[in-house]
């Protein structure tokens, strides 16, 4: 059976312990908070990587991504080749008044065109200003932190491995070509010993 008043005593003990501790108050906004590396603040757009595949807009649960584009004809790269068409981005906007910061658009983007930025100070007095067009989204890219370093025990990325193998192959081909050129030059070089002299055929005096 609990002792009468024990709950009150425990509560007062917690209060006394808290009163003796020094308060730690961050003087925001004069002192910026130290945010975790994976903070979800605002989304930045790297426009050069966007192919207008519309995957981010289709997967967004809030339908807060607006994309407009048009098609352009690209001339053939070689004579007799076929012309191709490509999508050109006209508008890319995100309505952050609807966004719930789930990160699905960033995860599903196959071309790494969307990135998380830890920047969170973009409050507005007008809700319409929370719709960031592609120029504003491009500005947020300057606040995107560098990716974390890879685990030393992790497997080498396929892109880096392919590039490294291509460089090694080119260097081996160049070394083989240089060795072949040096061998050909050495065979006809001035250091080669001269061939032994042979007596020229003579004509008998009677035949002269």
């Amino acid at each position: 059976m609990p002792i009468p008043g024990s709950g009150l005593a425990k509560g007062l003990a917690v209060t006394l312990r808290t009163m003796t501790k020094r308060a730690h108050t961050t003087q925001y906004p004069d002192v910026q908070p130290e945010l975790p590396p994976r903070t979800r603040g605002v989304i930045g757009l790297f426009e050069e990587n966007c192919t207008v595949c519309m995957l981010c807009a289709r997967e967004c649960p809030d339908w807060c991504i607006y994309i407009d584009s048009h098609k352009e004809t690209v001339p053939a790269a070689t004579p007799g080749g076929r012309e191709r068409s490509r999508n050109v981005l006209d508008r890319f906007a995100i309505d952050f008044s609807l966004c719930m910061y789930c990160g699905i658009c960033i995860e599903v983007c196959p071309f790494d065109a969307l990135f998380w930025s830890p920047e969170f100070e973009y409050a507005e007095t007008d809700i319409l200003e929370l719709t960031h067009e592609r120029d504003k989204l491009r500005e947020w890219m300057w606040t995107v932190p560098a990716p974390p370093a890879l685990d030393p025990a992790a497997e080498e990325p396929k892109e880096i491995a392919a590039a490294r193998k291509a460089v090694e192959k080119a260097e081996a081909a160049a070394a083989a070509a240089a060795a072949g050129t040096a061998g050909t030059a050495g065979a006809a070089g001035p250091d080669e010993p001269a061939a032994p002299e042979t007596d020229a055929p003579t004509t008998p005096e009677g035949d002269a």
Side-chain angles (χ1 to χ4, degrees):
M1 183 176 179
I3 302 175
S6 60
L8 179 61
K10 291 181 180 179
L12 291 175
V14 173
T15 303
L16 292 174
R17 285 199 302 268
T18 305
M19 290 176 60
T20 57
K21 292 182 180 179
R22 183 177 180 181
H24 296 278
T25 304
T26 303
Q27 301 300 322
Y28 178 84
D30 296 330
V31 178
Q32 292 293 323
E34 295 182 3
L35 301 175
R38 300 179 64 182
T39 297
R40 296 183 178 186
V42 71
I43 299 173
L45 170 67
F46 190 54
E47 187 177 338
E48 287 76 3
N49 286 358
C50 181
T51 61
V52 200
C53 66
M54 304 294 292
L55 194 58
C56 57
R58 289 198 299 266
E59 296 295 331
C60 177
D62 294 332
W63 293 88
C64 63
I65 301 177
Y66 312 112
I67 300 176
D68 294 330
S69 65
H70 69 278
K71 290 187 177 293
E72 286 186 357
T73 302
V74 180
T78 58
R82 186 180 64 178
E83 294 183 347
R84 299 182 179 273
S85 62
R86 67 171 181 176
N87 293 323
V88 179
L89 184 66
D90 293 329
R91 185 195 183 199
F92 195 109
I94 300 178
D95 187 354
F96 286 102
S97 66
L98 298 177
C99 179
M100 64 179 184
Y101 303 91
C102 62
I104 293 178
C105 58
I106 298 175
E107 295 295 332
V108 301
C109 180
F111 301 104
D112 292 334
L114 298 173
F115 296 87
W116 276 122
S117 167
E119 201 66 36
F120 62 92
E121 297 177 320
Y122 53 94
E124 301 287 349
T125 57
D126 187 355
I127 193 173
L128 298 178
E129 297 296 329
L130 287 176
T131 300
H132 294 183
E133 299 292 337
R134 65 176 183 177
D135 295 336
K136 187 67 174 293
L137 296 175
R138 180 59 185 267
E139 293 179 4
W140 292 124
M141 280 299 302
W142 298 108
T143 63
V144 174
L150 296 176
D151 189 345
E155 183 180 356
E156 186 178 26
K158 296 181 180 179
E159 297 83 0
I160 298 179
R164 179 176 52 79
K165 290 180 180 179
V167 170
E168 292 176 355
K169 186 176 180 180
E171 292 177 349
T181 304
T184 304
D191 296 337
E192 181 183 359
E197 297 181 359
T198 56
D199 296 335
T202 56
T203 303
E205 294 179 359
D207 297 338

